[in-house]
Amino acid sequence: MIQVLLVDDHTVLRDGIRSILDLESDIQVAGEAVSGNEVLIKVEEYRPDCILMDINLPGKNGIEVTSLVKSQYPNCRVLVLTMFEDDEYLMEALRAGADGYLLKDSSSEQVVAAIRMVSQGDSVIHPRMTKKLITYHQQTKSESNENTLTEREKEILFELVKGLSNKEIAEALFISDKTVKIHINKIFKKLNVKSRSQAVIYAVRHQLVPFS
C-alpha cells in the first residue's frame, strides 16, 4: 500500500484528490498538510511513501519544503503538483530533489500513475515541462564531465533519460536488476544528484548522452 501525504492549502483540491485516490486499492491517503511549516510534522507522524506537493503554500513554499524533506527523509518521494509552468520553478523543484513535476491540468489517471511511478523510484515530468526542460538546457553552455562515467554507466544513464525503469534497463542491457541499481547509485554519486530526475537533467545539460 502506497501511503500518500497531500500538501495543498486548497480544501476543495485536497478533497478532490482524496476522493480519486480512495478508489485505488494500492494507494491510501495517510494525511494532509495545508502549509509548508506543517509538512515536516506530518511526515514525521505518518512516514508517507510519497508526498503530493503544491508549490504555492503558506509559510515555507513547496520547493523549500521539498529540500528539507529530501535531506531528512531521503526515501520519501516528492511529486510536485502545481499550476506553475515556469522553467525556473521546474528547475528549482528538481534541484531540491523532487522526484516528479506535474501540472494541475493533469488527468486523474495521470496523477495516479505518477504516484505509482515515483513510489517505485521512477521520475515523472509533465510532457509540456519536459519540452521546457530540454529547451532550457540546450540554451546553457555544455560542460564536459562525461569522463567521470564508465561506458556502462553512460549506457544506463541514456536509458534513464529515455524513462525506463530498472527492470526495463536490465532487460535492455542483459544485466540484473541489482546490477542496474548499483550502477545508478554510482551515477548519482559521481554526478552529485539525489534523484533520477536530477540525473536526467544533468545528462541533458552536459550532453552526456545522445538526445534528440
Side-chain angles (χ1 to χ4, degrees):
M1 184 71 70
I2 302 171
Q3 301 293 325
V4 177
L5 176 67
L6 303 181
V7 180
D8 198 291
D9 60 334
H10 292 91
T11 303
V12 172
L13 190 141
R14 293 197 314 276
D15 289 347
I17 294 177
R18 178 183 280 273
S19 65
I20 291 169
L21 299 185
D22 282 345
L23 299 175
E24 305 300 320
S25 61
D26 60 334
I27 300 176
Q28 182 178 36
V29 177
E32 301 180 8
V34 300
S35 71
N37 298 329
E38 189 181 9
V39 174
L40 288 177
I41 298 173
K42 297 293 186 178
V43 172
E44 176 64 26
E45 180 179 357
Y46 298 115
R47 296 301 176 98
D49 301 299
C50 177
I51 301 175
L52 202 58
M53 181 84 73
D54 189 19
I55 289 180
N56 190 18
L57 297 170
K60 291 183 176 65
N61 65 44
I63 293 173
E64 294 173 303
V65 175
T66 294
S67 181
L68 291 171
V69 168
K70 297 301 284 190
S71 64
Q72 297 182 38
Y73 306 91
N75 292 326
C76 181
R77 306 296 178 180
V78 178
L79 175 60
V80 172
L81 182 63
T82 180
M83 62 183 292
F84 294 122
E85 295 190 38
D86 304 77
D87 302 353
E88 292 79 7
Y89 283 109
L90 170 64
M91 298 305 301
E92 288 180 11
L94 296 177
R95 279 194 291 264
D99 301 283
Y101 195 102
L102 286 186
L103 299 177
K104 286 186 176 179
D105 64 359
S106 300
S107 67
S108 57
E109 291 81 6
Q110 287 175 315
V111 173
V112 171
I115 290 173
R116 292 192 178 110
M117 289 181 68
V118 298
S119 297
Q120 294 169 358
D122 294 324
S123 58
V124 180
I125 299 177
H126 193 283
R128 289 206 303 276
M129 301 310 294
T130 301
K131 189 175 295 185
K132 288 175 178 287
L133 174 65
I134 295 170
T135 302
Y136 178 91
H137 284 304
Q138 285 176 341
Q139 292 172 347
T140 64
K141 183 178 179 180
S142 173
E143 301 173 20
S144 181
N145 291 324
E146 61 181 7
N147 291 333
T148 63
L149 300 179
T150 66
E151 288 304 315
R152 175 60 82 183
E153 288 164 354
K154 291 177 187 177
E155 290 176 340
I156 290 176
L157 182 58
F158 183 37
E159 302 304 325
L160 288 179
V161 171
K162 290 160 62 176
L164 299 189
S165 66
N166 285 11
K167 183 178 180 181
E168 290 170 332
I169 294 173
E171 292 174 352
L173 300 180
F174 303 103
I175 55 179
S176 69
D177 291 7
K178 183 177 180 180
T179 299
V180 171
K181 185 175 181 180
I182 291 173
H183 280 304
I184 289 177
N185 287 335
K186 288 182 179 179
I187 291 170
F188 284 4
K189 185 176 181 179
K190 288 182 178 181
L191 301 185
N192 192 28
V193 298
K194 298 178 181 179
S195 68
R196 298 168 80 98
S197 296
Q198 289 184 339
V200 169
I201 292 170
Y202 192 102
V204 175
R205 179 176 185 179
H206 298 279
Q207 299 180 7
L208 300 189
V209 295
F211 199 86
S212 59

